[in-house]
Amino acid sequence: MIEIEGLTKRYGEKVAVKNLTFTVRPGLVTGFLGPNGAGKSTTMRMILGLDRPTGGDVRIDGAPYDRLRDPLKHIGALLDAKAVHGGRSARNHLLCLAQSNGIPASRVHEVLDTVGLTAVARKKAKNFSLGMGQRLGIAGALLGDPRILMFDEPVNGLDPEGIHWIRTLMQNLAAEGRTVFVSSHLMSEMAVTAEHLVVIGQGRLLADTSMADFIRRNSRSYVRMRTPQHEHLLDLLHTEGITPVAADDGALEVDDARPEHLGELAARHGIVLHELSPKQASLEEAFMRLTAESVEYHAHARPAQPPPRPPEPARQWGADWKKGS
Ligand code: ADP
Ligand code: MG
């Protein structure tokens, strides 16, 4: 288990991580999602004690990283796959790591086998492809047989086969009851990898929710309507107790409605429709909406009436989404 409480990191004027509080639990893959620059890597470095928090704290199985005895046996991490001494062979790299952490050398062969590098174990790491380097980094993370694993954007730059392999590995590790925490800036990647989701934007917590809940809440289906008789249609919908959302281009969007119902309603009142189309919002859109500044968010989808309330701080989304999870 990783417990993060009030975690904050400032670099001079820049606040990279702001008052983050969440817990990463064992037995499932937790996705750490946020656009580039959101503060994911900074948070992960602080979890590993590689960066000192400006405020708040991190506990790994109840203790700060620097108080763990044999930390590699508690938490293994892949932060930067290029952080391997290129002149060494894969095997020697892992042997050095094992030796300095009190891990038996026999474990090196096991992890090489797990990541499929046995055949190239004696080749120099600097000649490895990106995918092989990534596998070597993961072998290092697995070396101490830790109960907690952390991966920072592990699928970046990998081919589909490599992506599939890493995804399956993470899910298997979670199925063994381990805590698996993985970051990505891609909603689509998290949707197929993670069971739980922590979303951050500009260093702040935006959502902490199960993936199923995130999908349920964000698979918004609606009907788009465009008409030259805008006011007339708006009045009619309000009379029917329907509150549409105004789209950027002047169209009206009606949530969870059937197009035939709306079309017949308009026809009965002699309203000409230039568009009547059922739509399904994508998870990618939901993620972009969530992480965009609240001002931008309200520009994209605001209630047509009553007039929009002042933008709420983005943090409230976190609180709101957390409630339902
Ligand atoms: P992510 O991993 O989500 O892309 P990072 O944690 O790398 O985001 O960065 C978060 C913010 O902190 C960014 O604006 C980045 O420029 C800034 N940052 C990260 N590391 C440093 C550093 N060592 N010095 C100054 N600013 C930093
Ligand atoms: Mg990063």
Side-chain angles (χ1 to χ4, degrees), residues 279-310:
K279 299 278 182 192
Q280 183 90 39
S282 72
L283 284 181
E284 211 70 51
E285 283 166 9
F287 169 52
M288 277 160 57
R289 227 180 323 126
L290 180 62
T291 52
E293 299 231 321
S294 47
V295 179
E296 286 168 330
Y297 166 72
H298 284 278
H300 278 283
R302 57 187 185 278
Q305 231 173 43
R309 280 182 298 174

PDB file of all heavy atoms in Angstrom, residues 279-310:
ATOM      1  N   LYS A 279     -25.277  10.912 -30.169  1.00  0.00           N
ATOM      2  CA  LYS A 279     -23.818  10.983 -29.973  1.00  0.00           C
ATOM      3  C   LYS A 279     -23.427  10.252 -28.702  1.00  0.00           C
ATOM      4  O   LYS A 279     -24.219  10.130 -27.763  1.00  0.00           O
ATOM      5  CB  LYS A 279     -23.364  12.447 -29.811  1.00  0.00           C
ATOM      6  CG  LYS A 279     -23.645  13.324 -30.995  1.00  0.00           C
ATOM      7  CD  LYS A 279     -22.567  13.147 -32.039  1.00  0.00           C
ATOM      8  CE  LYS A 279     -22.824  14.070 -33.218  1.00  0.00           C
ATOM      9  NZ  LYS A 279     -21.979  13.753 -34.359  1.00  0.00           N
ATOM     10  N   GLN A 280     -22.186   9.820 -28.685  1.00  0.00           N
ATOM     11  CA  GLN A 280     -21.619   9.195 -27.475  1.00  0.00           C
ATOM     12  C   GLN A 280     -20.280   9.881 -27.213  1.00  0.00           C
ATOM     13  O   GLN A 280     -19.400   9.860 -28.068  1.00  0.00           O
ATOM     14  CB  GLN A 280     -21.417   7.702 -27.741  1.00  0.00           C
ATOM     15  CG  GLN A 280     -20.905   6.913 -26.553  1.00  0.00           C
ATOM     16  CD  GLN A 280     -22.062   6.380 -25.704  1.00  0.00           C
ATOM     17  OE1 GLN A 280     -23.082   5.950 -26.229  1.00  0.00           O
ATOM     18  NE2 GLN A 280     -21.885   6.403 -24.397  1.00  0.00           N
ATOM     19  N   ALA A 281     -20.138  10.508 -26.049  1.00  0.00           N
ATOM     20  CA  ALA A 281     -18.875  11.168 -25.725  1.00  0.00           C
ATOM     21  C   ALA A 281     -17.825  10.105 -25.405  1.00  0.00           C
ATOM     22  O   ALA A 281     -18.122   9.097 -24.792  1.00  0.00           O
ATOM     23  CB  ALA A 281     -19.066  12.093 -24.527  1.00  0.00           C
ATOM     24  N   SER A 282     -16.591  10.326 -25.837  1.00  0.00           N
ATOM     25  CA  SER A 282     -15.542   9.340 -25.584  1.00  0.00           C
ATOM     26  C   SER A 282     -14.891   9.602 -24.229  1.00  0.00           C
ATOM     27  O   SER A 282     -14.967  10.692 -23.668  1.00  0.00           O
ATOM     28  CB  SER A 282     -14.486   9.401 -26.677  1.00  0.00           C
ATOM     29  OG  SER A 282     -13.724  10.579 -26.521  1.00  0.00           O
ATOM     30  N   LEU A 283     -14.238   8.559 -23.703  1.00  0.00           N
ATOM     31  CA  LEU A 283     -13.501   8.715 -22.445  1.00  0.00           C
ATOM     32  C   LEU A 283     -12.398   9.746 -22.604  1.00  0.00           C
ATOM     33  O   LEU A 283     -12.088  10.495 -21.691  1.00  0.00           O
ATOM     34  CB  LEU A 283     -12.880   7.377 -22.047  1.00  0.00           C
ATOM     35  CG  LEU A 283     -13.828   6.355 -21.463  1.00  0.00           C
ATOM     36  CD1 LEU A 283     -13.053   5.102 -21.099  1.00  0.00           C
ATOM     37  CD2 LEU A 283     -14.533   6.914 -20.243  1.00  0.00           C
ATOM     38  N   GLU A 284     -11.792   9.772 -23.795  1.00  0.00           N
ATOM     39  CA  GLU A 284     -10.727  10.741 -24.076  1.00  0.00           C
ATOM     40  C   GLU A 284     -11.261  12.161 -23.890  1.00  0.00           C
ATOM     41  O   GLU A 284     -10.599  13.017 -23.305  1.00  0.00           O
ATOM     42  CB  GLU A 284     -10.224  10.534 -25.501  1.00  0.00           C
ATOM     43  CG  GLU A 284      -8.769  10.864 -25.707  1.00  0.00           C
ATOM     44  CD  GLU A 284      -7.847   9.860 -25.027  1.00  0.00           C
ATOM     45  OE1 GLU A 284      -7.997   8.643 -25.229  1.00  0.00           O
ATOM     46  OE2 GLU A 284      -6.974  10.308 -24.272  1.00  0.00           O
ATOM     47  N   GLU A 285     -12.472  12.395 -24.384  1.00  0.00           N
ATOM     48  CA  GLU A 285     -13.089  13.716 -24.227  1.00  0.00           C
ATOM     49  C   GLU A 285     -13.328  14.021 -22.751  1.00  0.00           C
ATOM     50  O   GLU A 285     -13.108  15.140 -22.299  1.00  0.00           O
ATOM     51  CB  GLU A 285     -14.424  13.771 -24.978  1.00  0.00           C
ATOM     52  CG  GLU A 285     -14.281  13.939 -26.482  1.00  0.00           C
ATOM     53  CD  GLU A 285     -15.577  13.640 -27.228  1.00  0.00           C
ATOM     54  OE1 GLU A 285     -16.636  13.464 -26.580  1.00  0.00           O
ATOM     55  OE2 GLU A 285     -15.518  13.556 -28.453  1.00  0.00           O
ATOM     56  N   ALA A 286     -13.783  12.999 -22.021  1.00  0.00           N
ATOM     57  CA  ALA A 286     -14.051  13.196 -20.597  1.00  0.00           C
ATOM     58  C   ALA A 286     -12.769  13.574 -19.869  1.00  0.00           C
ATOM     59  O   ALA A 286     -12.750  14.482 -19.036  1.00  0.00           O
ATOM     60  CB  ALA A 286     -14.632  11.925 -19.998  1.00  0.00           C
ATOM     61  N   PHE A 287     -11.689  12.900 -20.219  1.00  0.00           N
ATOM     62  CA  PHE A 287     -10.390  13.183 -19.598  1.00  0.00           C
ATOM     63  C   PHE A 287      -9.943  14.602 -19.937  1.00  0.00           C
ATOM     64  O   PHE A 287      -9.500  15.360 -19.078  1.00  0.00           O
ATOM     65  CB  PHE A 287      -9.368  12.146 -20.083  1.00  0.00           C
ATOM     66  CG  PHE A 287      -7.947  12.461 -19.744  1.00  0.00           C
ATOM     67  CD1 PHE A 287      -7.576  12.751 -18.436  1.00  0.00           C
ATOM     68  CD2 PHE A 287      -6.971  12.454 -20.726  1.00  0.00           C
ATOM     69  CE1 PHE A 287      -6.254  13.026 -18.121  1.00  0.00           C
ATOM     70  CE2 PHE A 287      -5.652  12.728 -20.418  1.00  0.00           C
ATOM     71  CZ  PHE A 287      -5.285  13.022 -19.115  1.00  0.00           C
ATOM     72  N   MET A 288     -10.088  14.987 -21.197  1.00  0.00           N
ATOM     73  CA  MET A 288      -9.671  16.327 -21.596  1.00  0.00           C
ATOM     74  C   MET A 288     -10.509  17.392 -20.906  1.00  0.00           C
ATOM     75  O   MET A 288      -9.992  18.414 -20.479  1.00  0.00           O
ATOM     76  CB  MET A 288      -9.750  16.469 -23.116  1.00  0.00           C
ATOM     77  CG  MET A 288      -8.503  15.914 -23.787  1.00  0.00           C
ATOM     78  SD  MET A 288      -8.702  15.513 -25.512  1.00  0.00           S
ATOM     79  CE  MET A 288      -9.217  17.061 -26.172  1.00  0.00           C
ATOM     80  N   ARG A 289     -11.793  17.106 -20.787  1.00  0.00           N
ATOM     81  CA  ARG A 289     -12.685  18.044 -20.110  1.00  0.00           C
ATOM     82  C   ARG A 289     -12.284  18.187 -18.647  1.00  0.00           C
ATOM     83  O   ARG A 289     -12.238  19.267 -18.085  1.00  0.00           O
ATOM     84  CB  ARG A 289     -14.120  17.519 -20.203  1.00  0.00           C
ATOM     85  CG  ARG A 289     -15.107  18.556 -20.612  1.00  0.00           C
ATOM     86  CD  ARG A 289     -16.533  18.051 -20.698  1.00  0.00           C
ATOM     87  NE  ARG A 289     -16.730  16.714 -21.203  1.00  0.00           N
ATOM     88  CZ  ARG A 289     -17.401  15.785 -20.541  1.00  0.00           C
ATOM     89  NH1 ARG A 289     -17.887  16.017 -19.337  1.00  0.00           N
ATOM     90  NH2 ARG A 289     -17.580  14.593 -21.074  1.00  0.00           N
ATOM     91  N   LEU A 290     -11.954  17.038 -18.049  1.00  0.00           N
ATOM     92  CA  LEU A 290     -11.615  17.028 -16.626  1.00  0.00           C
ATOM     93  C   LEU A 290     -10.326  17.793 -16.343  1.00  0.00           C
ATOM     94  O   LEU A 290     -10.219  18.493 -15.353  1.00  0.00           O
ATOM     95  CB  LEU A 290     -11.476  15.572 -16.154  1.00  0.00           C
ATOM     96  CG  LEU A 290     -11.124  15.332 -14.697  1.00  0.00           C
ATOM     97  CD1 LEU A 290     -12.212  15.877 -13.794  1.00  0.00           C
ATOM     98  CD2 LEU A 290     -10.948  13.843 -14.458  1.00  0.00           C
ATOM     99  N   THR A 291      -9.347  17.657 -17.241  1.00  0.00           N
ATOM    100  CA  THR A 291      -8.042  18.236 -16.960  1.00  0.00           C
ATOM    101  C   THR A 291      -7.881  19.646 -17.515  1.00  0.00           C
ATOM    102  O   THR A 291      -6.952  20.342 -17.145  1.00  0.00           O
ATOM    103  CB  THR A 291      -6.915  17.343 -17.522  1.00  0.00           C
ATOM    104  OG1 THR A 291      -7.194  17.071 -18.893  1.00  0.00           O
ATOM    105  CG2 THR A 291      -6.821  16.047 -16.754  1.00  0.00           C
ATOM    106  N   ALA A 292      -8.785  20.036 -18.419  1.00  0.00           N
ATOM    107  CA  ALA A 292      -8.695  21.397 -18.943  1.00  0.00           C
ATOM    108  C   ALA A 292      -9.011  22.373 -17.806  1.00  0.00           C
ATOM    109  O   ALA A 292      -9.667  22.014 -16.836  1.00  0.00           O
ATOM    110  CB  ALA A 292      -9.689  21.582 -20.083  1.00  0.00           C
ATOM    111  N   GLU A 293      -8.562  23.583 -17.925  1.00  0.00           N
ATOM    112  CA  GLU A 293      -8.876  24.581 -16.901  1.00  0.00           C
ATOM    113  C   GLU A 293     -10.391  24.743 -16.839  1.00  0.00           C
ATOM    114  O   GLU A 293     -11.073  24.624 -17.850  1.00  0.00           O
ATOM    115  CB  GLU A 293      -8.235  25.915 -17.268  1.00  0.00           C
ATOM    116  CG  GLU A 293      -6.756  25.808 -17.353  1.00  0.00           C
ATOM    117  CD  GLU A 293      -6.056  26.885 -16.546  1.00  0.00           C
ATOM    118  OE1 GLU A 293      -6.538  28.019 -16.552  1.00  0.00           O
ATOM    119  OE2 GLU A 293      -5.063  26.560 -15.919  1.00  0.00           O
ATOM    120  N   SER A 294     -10.889  25.026 -15.654  1.00  0.00           N
ATOM    121  CA  SER A 294     -12.345  25.084 -15.493  1.00  0.00           C
ATOM    122  C   SER A 294     -12.972  26.080 -16.471  1.00  0.00           C
ATOM    123  O   SER A 294     -14.069  25.875 -16.961  1.00  0.00           O
ATOM    124  CB  SER A 294     -12.698  25.441 -14.057  1.00  0.00           C
ATOM    125  OG  SER A 294     -11.924  26.523 -13.626  1.00  0.00           O
ATOM    126  N   VAL A 295     -12.261  27.152 -16.792  1.00  0.00           N
ATOM    127  CA  VAL A 295     -12.779  28.156 -17.726  1.00  0.00           C
ATOM    128  C   VAL A 295     -12.994  27.520 -19.098  1.00  0.00           C
ATOM    129  O   VAL A 295     -14.038  27.661 -19.713  1.00  0.00           O
ATOM    130  CB  VAL A 295     -11.781  29.321 -17.865  1.00  0.00           C
ATOM    131  CG1 VAL A 295     -12.300  30.347 -18.859  1.00  0.00           C
ATOM    132  CG2 VAL A 295     -11.544  29.952 -16.510  1.00  0.00           C
ATOM    133  N   GLU A 296     -11.980  26.770 -19.545  1.00  0.00           N
ATOM    134  CA  GLU A 296     -12.091  26.124 -20.849  1.00  0.00           C
ATOM    135  C   GLU A 296     -13.228  25.107 -20.829  1.00  0.00           C
ATOM    136  O   GLU A 296     -13.967  24.966 -21.767  1.00  0.00           O
ATOM    137  CB  GLU A 296     -10.786  25.398 -21.192  1.00  0.00           C
ATOM    138  CG  GLU A 296      -9.693  26.348 -21.575  1.00  0.00           C
ATOM    139  CD  GLU A 296      -8.348  25.656 -21.613  1.00  0.00           C
ATOM    140  OE1 GLU A 296      -8.148  24.698 -20.864  1.00  0.00           O
ATOM    141  OE2 GLU A 296      -7.516  26.093 -22.388  1.00  0.00           O
ATOM    142  N   TYR A 297     -13.338  24.413 -19.693  1.00  0.00           N
ATOM    143  CA  TYR A 297     -14.378  23.406 -19.567  1.00  0.00           C
ATOM    144  C   TYR A 297     -15.749  24.022 -19.790  1.00  0.00           C
ATOM    145  O   TYR A 297     -16.547  23.538 -20.559  1.00  0.00           O
ATOM    146  CB  TYR A 297     -14.315  22.747 -18.181  1.00  0.00           C
ATOM    147  CG  TYR A 297     -15.548  21.955 -17.893  1.00  0.00           C
ATOM    148  CD1 TYR A 297     -15.793  20.758 -18.541  1.00  0.00           C
ATOM    149  CD2 TYR A 297     -16.509  22.449 -17.016  1.00  0.00           C
ATOM    150  CE1 TYR A 297     -16.951  20.058 -18.310  1.00  0.00           C
ATOM    151  CE2 TYR A 297     -17.672  21.754 -16.787  1.00  0.00           C
ATOM    152  CZ  TYR A 297     -17.892  20.551 -17.431  1.00  0.00           C
ATOM    153  OH  TYR A 297     -19.050  19.876 -17.215  1.00  0.00           O
ATOM    154  N   HIS A 298     -15.986  25.149 -19.138  1.00  0.00           N
ATOM    155  CA  HIS A 298     -17.316  25.746 -19.235  1.00  0.00           C
ATOM    156  C   HIS A 298     -17.586  26.320 -20.618  1.00  0.00           C
ATOM    157  O   HIS A 298     -18.719  26.435 -21.027  1.00  0.00           O
ATOM    158  CB  HIS A 298     -17.508  26.814 -18.155  1.00  0.00           C
ATOM    159  CG  HIS A 298     -17.758  26.196 -16.821  1.00  0.00           C
ATOM    160  ND1 HIS A 298     -18.994  25.756 -16.444  1.00  0.00           N
ATOM    161  CD2 HIS A 298     -16.912  25.903 -15.807  1.00  0.00           C
ATOM    162  CE1 HIS A 298     -18.912  25.217 -15.232  1.00  0.00           C
ATOM    163  NE2 HIS A 298     -17.663  25.295 -14.837  1.00  0.00           N
ATOM    164  N   ALA A 299     -16.517  26.675 -21.354  1.00  0.00           N
ATOM    165  CA  ALA A 299     -16.712  27.172 -22.704  1.00  0.00           C
ATOM    166  C   ALA A 299     -17.176  26.057 -23.626  1.00  0.00           C
ATOM    167  O   ALA A 299     -17.850  26.283 -24.607  1.00  0.00           O
ATOM    168  CB  ALA A 299     -15.408  27.767 -23.233  1.00  0.00           C
ATOM    169  N   HIS A 300     -16.813  24.813 -23.311  1.00  0.00           N
ATOM    170  CA  HIS A 300     -17.160  23.698 -24.183  1.00  0.00           C
ATOM    171  C   HIS A 300     -18.569  23.185 -23.968  1.00  0.00           C
ATOM    172  O   HIS A 300     -19.226  22.782 -24.895  1.00  0.00           O
ATOM    173  CB  HIS A 300     -16.169  22.546 -23.985  1.00  0.00           C
ATOM    174  CG  HIS A 300     -14.935  22.772 -24.779  1.00  0.00           C
ATOM    175  ND1 HIS A 300     -14.885  22.571 -26.124  1.00  0.00           N
ATOM    176  CD2 HIS A 300     -13.713  23.235 -24.419  1.00  0.00           C
ATOM    177  CE1 HIS A 300     -13.681  22.881 -26.566  1.00  0.00           C
ATOM    178  NE2 HIS A 300     -12.953  23.283 -25.563  1.00  0.00           N
ATOM    179  N   ALA A 301     -19.005  23.160 -22.725  1.00  0.00           N
ATOM    180  CA  ALA A 301     -20.339  22.632 -22.466  1.00  0.00           C
ATOM    181  C   ALA A 301     -20.934  23.364 -21.289  1.00  0.00           C
ATOM    182  O   ALA A 301     -20.542  23.162 -20.164  1.00  0.00           O
ATOM    183  CB  ALA A 301     -20.258  21.138 -22.164  1.00  0.00           C
ATOM    184  N   ARG A 302     -21.829  24.281 -21.581  1.00  0.00           N
ATOM    185  CA  ARG A 302     -22.461  24.989 -20.478  1.00  0.00           C
ATOM    186  C   ARG A 302     -23.974  24.810 -20.618  1.00  0.00           C
ATOM    187  O   ARG A 302     -24.495  24.657 -21.727  1.00  0.00           O
ATOM    188  CB  ARG A 302     -22.089  26.480 -20.508  1.00  0.00           C
ATOM    189  CG  ARG A 302     -22.455  27.132 -21.819  1.00  0.00           C
ATOM    190  CD  ARG A 302     -21.923  28.553 -21.904  1.00  0.00           C
ATOM    191  NE  ARG A 302     -22.391  29.171 -23.119  1.00  0.00           N
ATOM    192  CZ  ARG A 302     -21.830  29.006 -24.300  1.00  0.00           C
ATOM    193  NH1 ARG A 302     -20.773  28.239 -24.410  1.00  0.00           N
ATOM    194  NH2 ARG A 302     -22.322  29.573 -25.373  1.00  0.00           N
ATOM    195  N   PRO A 303     -24.680  24.845 -19.511  1.00  0.00           N
ATOM    196  CA  PRO A 303     -26.123  24.718 -19.604  1.00  0.00           C
ATOM    197  C   PRO A 303     -26.684  25.867 -20.426  1.00  0.00           C
ATOM    198  O   PRO A 303     -26.257  27.004 -20.273  1.00  0.00           O
ATOM    199  CB  PRO A 303     -26.587  24.834 -18.153  1.00  0.00           C
ATOM    200  CG  PRO A 303     -25.371  24.681 -17.307  1.00  0.00           C
ATOM    201  CD  PRO A 303     -24.203  25.063 -18.142  1.00  0.00           C
ATOM    202  N   ALA A 304     -27.627  25.580 -21.346  1.00  0.00           N
ATOM    203  CA  ALA A 304     -28.198  26.625 -22.176  1.00  0.00           C
ATOM    204  C   ALA A 304     -29.017  27.580 -21.322  1.00  0.00           C
ATOM    205  O   ALA A 304     -29.077  28.753 -21.564  1.00  0.00           O
ATOM    206  CB  ALA A 304     -29.073  26.011 -23.251  1.00  0.00           C
ATOM    207  N   GLN A 305     -29.672  27.018 -20.327  1.00  0.00           N
ATOM    208  CA  GLN A 305     -30.435  27.812 -19.383  1.00  0.00           C
ATOM    209  C   GLN A 305     -30.716  26.963 -18.160  1.00  0.00           C
ATOM    210  O   GLN A 305     -30.925  25.764 -18.328  1.00  0.00           O
ATOM    211  CB  GLN A 305     -31.764  28.242 -20.007  1.00  0.00           C
ATOM    212  CG  GLN A 305     -31.964  29.732 -19.868  1.00  0.00           C
ATOM    213  CD  GLN A 305     -33.181  30.193 -20.638  1.00  0.00           C
ATOM    214  OE1 GLN A 305     -34.211  29.537 -20.582  1.00  0.00           O
ATOM    215  NE2 GLN A 305     -33.066  31.306 -21.314  1.00  0.00           N
ATOM    216  N   PRO A 306     -30.706  27.405 -16.981  1.00  0.00           N
ATOM    217  CA  PRO A 306     -30.416  28.777 -16.576  1.00  0.00           C
ATOM    218  C   PRO A 306     -28.966  29.148 -16.875  1.00  0.00           C
ATOM    219  O   PRO A 306     -28.170  28.277 -17.162  1.00  0.00           O
ATOM    220  CB  PRO A 306     -30.667  28.733 -15.052  1.00  0.00           C
ATOM    221  CG  PRO A 306     -30.455  27.303 -14.676  1.00  0.00           C
ATOM    222  CD  PRO A 306     -30.886  26.509 -15.845  1.00  0.00           C
ATOM    223  N   PRO A 307     -28.660  30.487 -16.837  1.00  0.00           N
ATOM    224  CA  PRO A 307     -27.321  30.941 -17.190  1.00  0.00           C
ATOM    225  C   PRO A 307     -26.252  30.236 -16.355  1.00  0.00           C
ATOM    226  O   PRO A 307     -26.527  29.824 -15.218  1.00  0.00           O
ATOM    227  CB  PRO A 307     -27.354  32.442 -16.871  1.00  0.00           C
ATOM    228  CG  PRO A 307     -28.624  32.695 -16.152  1.00  0.00           C
ATOM    229  CD  PRO A 307     -29.541  31.573 -16.426  1.00  0.00           C
ATOM    230  N   PRO A 308     -25.055  30.055 -16.925  1.00  0.00           N
ATOM    231  CA  PRO A 308     -24.011  29.293 -16.236  1.00  0.00           C
ATOM    232  C   PRO A 308     -23.640  29.894 -14.892  1.00  0.00           C
ATOM    233  O   PRO A 308     -23.580  31.117 -14.761  1.00  0.00           O
ATOM    234  CB  PRO A 308     -22.829  29.351 -17.208  1.00  0.00           C
ATOM    235  CG  PRO A 308     -23.152  30.445 -18.171  1.00  0.00           C
ATOM    236  CD  PRO A 308     -24.623  30.565 -18.225  1.00  0.00           C
ATOM    237  N   ARG A 309     -23.431  29.013 -13.935  1.00  0.00           N
ATOM    238  CA  ARG A 309     -22.919  29.462 -12.656  1.00  0.00           C
ATOM    239  C   ARG A 309     -21.440  29.766 -12.827  1.00  0.00           C
ATOM    240  O   ARG A 309     -20.820  29.282 -13.764  1.00  0.00           O
ATOM    241  CB  ARG A 309     -23.103  28.362 -11.615  1.00  0.00           C
ATOM    242  CG  ARG A 309     -24.513  28.313 -11.077  1.00  0.00           C
ATOM    243  CD  ARG A 309     -24.635  27.257 -10.030  1.00  0.00           C
ATOM    244  NE  ARG A 309     -24.357  25.936 -10.573  1.00  0.00           N
ATOM    245  CZ  ARG A 309     -24.283  24.850  -9.841  1.00  0.00           C
ATOM    246  NH1 ARG A 309     -24.421  24.921  -8.549  1.00  0.00           N
ATOM    247  NH2 ARG A 309     -24.042  23.691 -10.393  1.00  0.00           N
ATOM    248  N   PRO A 310     -20.849  30.547 -11.901  1.00  0.00           N
ATOM    249  CA  PRO A 310     -19.411  30.808 -12.029  1.00  0.00           C
ATOM    250  C   PRO A 310     -18.647  29.481 -11.986  1.00  0.00           C
ATOM    251  O   PRO A 310     -19.087  28.547 -11.315  1.00  0.00           O
ATOM    252  CB  PRO A 310     -19.089  31.671 -10.798  1.00  0.00           C
ATOM    253  CG  PRO A 310     -20.314  31.703  -9.964  1.00  0.00           C
ATOM    254  CD  PRO A 310     -21.454  31.185 -10.754  1.00  0.00           C
TER     255      PRO A 310
END
